[in-house]
Amino acid sequence: MKVKTKSKKVNKAWLNDHVNDPYVKLALKEGYRARAAYKLKEIDEQLSLIKPGMLVVDLGSAPGAWSQYVRRKLSPQGAAVGELDGTIVALDLLPMEPVEGVTFLQGDFREDEVLARLAEVLAGRQADVVVSDMAPNLSGIESADAARISHLVELAVEFAQGHLKPDGALVAKVFHGSGYSQLVKLFKERFRVVKPLKPKASRDKSAENFLVGMGLKAQSRP
């Protein structure tokens, strides 16, 4: 019974924080599906990564907030609907409600069938930017969770190596803790410029962080 009571208290505290979160309120006001949009917005505004005319691939895209942000950046008027100057391809294992102008592929990009569908959509083009908000279901066992997180980041880097322009950029969600320094090392081995960032929209209590790699090193290109 104590465990249940504690769980209820934790859930209630989280819900209270969530409802009163300024980014949650802003997302509702501005029509974003999740507060996560403001994490990418802050990273993009700091580094000027996403520009009209670009091809952007969104890994782990559901529920679609990052795709929504990219869609607005590629719109001449910054609009959520209407004209679009660029291409957005989103992938996720989970279903995602359509975002106007975004091509969504549901499935695992490690599978040949999904890669074939992606190749068809890309039609020989390489991405200017790859963004990855992929995160595993956490078990609470630190060592196991760290390994799962690292694996997804490694997959994002591998994907970028195969689908990114030589001067392109990868934005990937990581977590501070076990395995973090190895992921920074991996980024430094693969990219010419590496920036670790913690956007204001990431909660203070969260170990969540982001690594941005810009410009693939010559040996990292396929």
Side-chain angles (χ1 to χ4, degrees):
M1 285 300 290
K2 280 182 185 175
V3 173
K4 284 186 179 177
T5 307
K6 187 179 178 185
S7 176
K8 279 182 184 173
K9 279 181 183 172
V10 168
N11 288 340
K12 195 172 180 183
W14 180 89
L15 192 59
N16 186 56
D17 286 348
H18 184 74
V19 169
N20 294 308
D21 187 307
Y23 291 103
V24 171
K25 290 176 179 177
L26 197 57
L28 284 168
K29 183 184 171 187
E30 297 189 342
Y32 284 115
R33 295 175 186 176
R35 67 193 297 289
Y38 299 101
K39 299 171 191 175
L40 182 58
K41 183 175 190 283
E42 195 177 327
I43 292 166
D44 181 39
E45 285 175 350
Q46 197 168 328
L47 299 173
S48 299
L49 299 173
I50 301 164
K51 300 179 179 76
M54 284 186 165
L55 166 57
V56 180
V57 177
D58 181 3
L59 302 176
S61 58
W66 278 23
S67 284
Q68 285 180 303
Y69 171 75
V70 175
R71 196 252 178 270
R72 294 184 193 192
K73 274 302 297 273
L74 299 186
S75 165
Q77 271 76 45
V81 293
E83 195 181 344
L84 183 66
D85 180 10
T87 306
I88 308 161
V89 182
L91 299 95
D92 205 304
L93 289 169
L94 301 171
M96 184 178 98
E97 286 292 315
V99 175
E100 185 178 310
V102 176
T103 300
F104 175 64
L105 304 175
Q106 186 175 352
D108 188 334
F109 64 77
R110 291 171 296 177
E111 292 177 1
D112 290 341
E113 184 196 340
V114 178
L115 279 175
R117 281 158 57 206
L118 177 64
E120 198 177 309
V121 171
L122 296 180
R125 293 172 300 164
Q126 289 182 306
D128 294 279
V129 179
V130 173
V131 296
S132 171
D133 198 26
M134 292 191 294
N137 291 324
L138 300 177
S139 65
I141 302 164
E142 192 179 340
S143 58
D145 289 342
R148 286 175 186 164
I149 290 161
S150 294
H151 180 58
L152 289 180
V153 178
E154 286 160 8
L155 287 175
V157 171
E158 190 180 312
F159 180 89
Q161 285 177 247
H163 297 91
L164 197 61
K165 286 180 180 175
D167 59 349
L170 168 66
V171 179
K173 176 157 76 177
V174 297
F175 290 87
H176 253 301
S178 176
Y180 176 75
S181 58
Q182 287 94 323
L183 292 175
V184 172
K185 183 172 177 282
L186 173 66
F187 264 68
K188 286 182 175 176
E189 286 169 355
R190 300 289 188 267
F191 295 95
R192 295 194 300 272
V193 178
V194 178
K195 302 260 186 193
L197 296 169
K198 170 97 170 170
K200 292 187 185 78
S202 285
R203 291 190 171 101
D204 291 338
K205 298 173 195 170
S206 172
E208 177 184 80
N209 208 330
F210 292 87
L211 286 175
V212 182
M214 295 179 280
L216 284 167
K217 287 186 176 177
Q219 70 271 22
S220 296
R221 292 173 215 160

